[in-house]
Amino acid sequence: MAEHRTMQRAALLDAARSLLSEGGTEALTFPALAQHTGLARSSVYEYFRSRAAVVEELCAVDFPVWAAEVESAMAQAGSPAGKIEAYVRQQLTLVGDRRHRAVVAISAGELDAGARERIRAAHGGLISMVVEALGDLGHEQPRLVAMLLQGVVDAGVRRIELGAAEDPQQIAEAAVSMALNGVRG
């Protein structure tokens, strides 16, 4: 029975990923989750008490996977600059991944303070990964620079998701160039 519940919970999370990545937070409704999974709407409530609870669990499940992929790419790089490039490139590569799109689609307004804090902490963990590499490059305030660097990554993510005129590869190259060379190109 517990295994069946685990499978249904996983199916609900997968349906939530699809709904979020296709239609944003408005698309994530209990009737839509029920329809996507073939469960009765009342059954959906047995697993999650609210949309925010679905969102919170998705973040708890998917964000660490995403962060681990970034960390793994950085670990394979030999130099501090290579680690920074991997940090930027891997996050932009993950944009097409449904798990990433779902997490990005979640607006902070949907979440209670505790959930927002957990997401901030997870994001902080992502930023912490690059702080050491920035320190190794000689930055006096590597944490500040890491936050600004994440701003460049976030802007690249938004451009890719908007389906900007540029190819995602061009956006990634520009973001990496910005990260490594600043505005000098």
Side-chain angles (χ1 to χ4, degrees):
M1 185 67 189
E3 190 177 322
H4 179 69
R5 284 189 65 78
T6 303
M7 283 173 57
Q8 285 192 326
R9 188 176 207 91
L12 284 164
L13 288 176
D14 202 50
R17 278 182 203 99
S18 293
L19 291 165
L20 283 165
S21 63
E22 291 158 19
T25 47
E26 304 78 47
L28 180 63
T29 64
F30 279 39
L33 283 171
Q35 188 180 354
H36 265 67
T37 55
L39 291 169
R41 197 186 317 184
S42 58
S43 297
V44 177
Y45 282 99
E46 289 176 30
Y47 291 91
F48 298 104
R49 67 191 181 285
S50 64
R51 279 180 359 151
V54 177
V55 164
E56 198 172 326
E57 184 150 339
L58 259 186
C59 290
V61 170
D62 290 351
F63 206 99
V65 173
W66 176 28
E69 289 179 33
V70 173
E71 194 167 18
S72 170
M74 288 177 71
Q76 290 170 32
S79 66
K83 287 182 188 313
I84 290 163
E85 178 173 351
Y87 177 83
V88 173
R89 209 175 278 287
Q90 188 63 30
Q91 285 188 71
L92 294 176
T93 299
L94 290 170
V95 172
D97 184 306
R98 268 178 351 125
R99 289 168 312 183
H100 175 271
R101 280 208 310 268
V103 170
V104 168
I106 295 160
S107 81
E110 295 286 314
L111 303 172
D112 64 33
R116 276 199 303 272
E117 191 45 53
R118 279 188 286 287
I119 291 174
R120 248 195 311 276
H123 236 262
L126 203 55
I127 287 169
S128 294
M129 286 189 237
V130 80
V131 169
E132 187 180 346
L134 289 164
D136 291 343
L137 281 178
H139 284 281
E140 288 179 24
Q141 291 186 288
R143 185 141 192 92
L144 171 61
V145 174
M147 288 180 199
L148 296 173
L149 174 62
Q150 186 60 43
V152 169
V153 173
D154 293 343
V157 165
R158 279 192 300 281
R159 278 211 72 77
I160 291 170
E161 293 200 320
L162 288 170
E166 309 87 5
D167 180 78
Q169 193 58 44
Q170 290 175 307
I171 295 169
E173 293 307 321
V176 167
S177 175
M178 184 89 178
L180 297 177
N181 308 316
V183 292
R184 271 177 269 161

